[in-house]
Amino acid sequence: MQTLSLFFNLLVIFLVTRVSDAFTRKDFPDDFLFGAATSAYQWEGAFDEDGRTPSVWDTYSHTYSRYNGDIACDGYHKYKEDVKLMAEMGLEAFRFSISWTRLIPNGRGPINPKGLLFYKNLIKELRKYGIEPHVTIYHYDLPQSLEDEYGGWINRKVIEDFTAFADVCFREFGDDVKLWTTINEATIFAIGSYSDGLSPPGHCSPYELINCSTGNSSTEPYIAGHNMLLAHASASKLYKLKYKNKQRGTIGLSIYAFGLSPYTNSTEDEIATQRAQDFLFGWMLKPLVFGDYPDVMKRVLGPRLPVFSEEEIEQVKGSSDFIGIIHYTTVLITNPTPKPSLLSPRHDFYADMGVEFVHIGKYSLYEWESIPWGLEIVLEYVKESYNNPPIYVLENGKPMKHDSMLQDTPRVEYIQGYIGSVLNAIKNGSDTRGYFVWSLIDVYELLSGYMHPYGLYYVNFSDPGLKRSPKRSASWYTGFLNGKIDVTSQDITQLKRNFSGSSSM
């Protein structure tokens, strides 16, 4: 424990003090985008209106949770009100996703004219206020019809259907959309949906504490991840051949990125951290940048890891114009000590990775410490290991208990600390081009429903009109974006004091 404390304190002093200078919006590049984010199922509601059909997320939430996105915060009907809030805030960009089943109800085939009109109107409204739309094509909501027909992402047929869906998006919206993300946080999507069973469609091997009706945690996450890479590459190739010259947009893939740091300075923990980086970053990034999976994954997984053909290597390599980073928290990595157990050993992604996570300070699914240097570590690692690709931080935010209190000071401290870490990374050479707070307003959350939202705006879910009210974080972000707030040395000193007090070991 003393070794950890010494190492950790040195790391904190080294990294956190690097944001000791005051900064403002003007310290970022002129073309850097500050935005906020939502996704279709979490924001829109109107789950069965105007031709929309069920997705796997509808099915999953109605099967495994007491919460769902049937109404959510009704962005489908209230989008003009929400865009006006964005404009009043001074938001420069808005990240949202296209509901596959709202646009193409059968998963393939005819376009739903009412769904098409909704997204055209939303994009038009954003453009009217000078807000850049950043569109995610897929955010967990595969048409249930395709899941029923052939198993969704564990079947290569999904590549053709996804590419056709993307083609409709590019054709119909691409003149006004210059930033496209194909698949949301592909890494944690594959793990959560096909190893842990904690996200739609909820596949996993049957374990004592997990109630999955189907799945194989030792193979399906890698099959699904492989098909995601191929689907992304296929859509990217289509865009570049058919649309890019005219529309002048860019297209990328996003991954979920923990901040990763060794628990101690031992060789074992350093090797374990590198293994975690290969599994959690390299799994998707190495094929995108260098054309193939990390050697350690090949060695550990053997025939369970799919193999790219030579043609696929060439198609996947270089298929992302940028990398989307989704980051919330940081963990320390240690090499595990074998423990005898009466239970059958699990065979899943985390067992294959072979490391233990040590959470810093207080941690739960709904609350974690603010550790800004963790994001800087991520951006620095991607810069050094993957040829410094353009990066957008597509999600970053803090959940807090949903109640009538609008004074979300911990969220303000969290956001300003992480924005400071992005600026540090840029000053150190990272090609980071945007930062999006999750989320614009309180939305339906996969793991916590409506109990621990992330919104800058409070939504009164008991009010039939779902009234929006600005939290302190919305006011702070507004001031920052409009040049009326800078993060001062005193602010950073307080952040360091709060961090040190809450994370002592």
Side-chain angles (χ1 to χ4, degrees), residues 51-116:
R52 184 187 180 276
T53 61
S55 73
V56 294
W57 205 339
D58 293 272
T59 303
Y60 182 87
S61 63
H62 280 268
T63 303
Y64 295 106
S65 175
R66 60 191 177 114
Y67 304 104
N68 57 64
D70 289 359
I71 300 173
C73 45
D74 199 23
Y76 186 72
H77 297 109
K78 298 173 75 68
Y79 73 92
K80 287 189 177 181
E81 178 182 339
D82 288 345
V83 173
K84 188 176 180 181
L85 294 178
M86 300 178 212
E88 291 172 352
M89 189 185 299
L91 213 64
E92 299 161 6
F94 178 54
R95 177 179 175 245
F96 63 97
S97 70
I98 306 291
S99 167
W100 193 334
T101 60
R102 194 179 297 286
L103 187 62
I104 308 175
N106 295 323
R108 67 172 77 91
I111 298 171
N112 174 20
K114 291 185 177 179
L116 178 65

Side-chain angles (χ1 to χ4, degrees), residues 161-175:
D161 285 332
F162 176 80
T163 305
F165 169 44
D167 193 9
V168 173
C169 293
F170 299 146
R171 183 179 72 240
E172 298 293 342
F173 313 127
D175 287 343

